[in-house]
Amino acid sequence: MKAERIDGKRISDEIKDEVALAVESLQQQGITPCLAVVLVGNDPASAVYVRNKKKASERVGILSRTYELEEDTEEDELLHLIEQLNLDKGVHGILVQLPLPSHIDEEKVIFAIDPQKDVDCFHPLNVGMLQTGRKGFLPCTPAGVLALIERSGYTVEGKECVVIGRSHNVGKPTAMLLLQKNATVTICHSKTQNLKEVCKRADILVSAVGKIHTVTADMVKEGAVVIDVGMNRNAEGKLCGDVDFEEVGEVAAAVSPVPGGVGLMTVAMLMENCVTAAKLQHGIL
């Protein structure tokens, strides 16, 4: 394989080290950032994510509070907890782990979080801030994609970028961040015609579909940078991404692996957002 294996662990560790220094600086001013994570139900993947966020918080010096609610928790009970966390000046970030049980309206829950504590950057106000290029939170996974590219030494400005996937949480905001970095951006989706030809134009190709082997070698331009956001399980139950890693590595200049890529970055960028939230709420930003 000739492609560089983009090292998400190294880059995420770098960011966490920077966050730890920022937390130390805030603590010298009497401020300790605090993240409240709310988990509803018993989804195994969600439980793993929550543990990873708690572990990262401990590493960088951020206080972590975890609220574990039963699967049958009523929507009103969850909204009441969010209201209490909104009012708690000791809590700077609120993260409600998705997906929620089907009887709870996810949109209503997202809207209920104070935008200044919305460290996932899902609230419409923060989405609008992103769209207009204003200072604030960056959505964790898209920000992690951009950091992987730039901290691996690749330039976005002037490049042709293709993002496969148009989800509100990943595809669209990833395209927006690349656009803000002066890339020319195309978003592809299930109705895109000639997907292979469009992708083959890309200097930077990002796949955020959630389907194994969405990206194969014949879709990749020679020397492209390929970022794999997908999190899937193959027939053997092994974690893998959207990209055929081995084949694409014969064509691309660099490929991010799964695991060991974007997933680690998402947690690191969450820690960065917690620091941003603490600064916002104390008038430092």
Side-chain angles (χ1 to χ4, degrees), residues 61-80:
I62 290 173
L63 292 176
S64 178
R65 296 191 202 171
T66 303
Y67 298 83
E68 297 184 5
L69 307 181
E70 296 296 328
E71 181 83 19
D72 59 358
T73 297
E74 293 293 331
E75 184 179 278
D76 285 348
E77 185 181 341
L78 175 57
L79 292 172
H80 178 69

Side-chain angles (χ1 to χ4, degrees), residues 34 45 63 88 175:
C34 175
L63 292 176
D88 189 338

Side-chain angles (χ1 to χ4, degrees), residues 235-250:
E236 293 77 43
K238 184 182 176 185
L239 190 65
C240 58
D242 293 349
V243 176
D244 188 332
F245 187 81
E246 298 297 328
E247 279 193 16
V248 167
E250 296 296 324

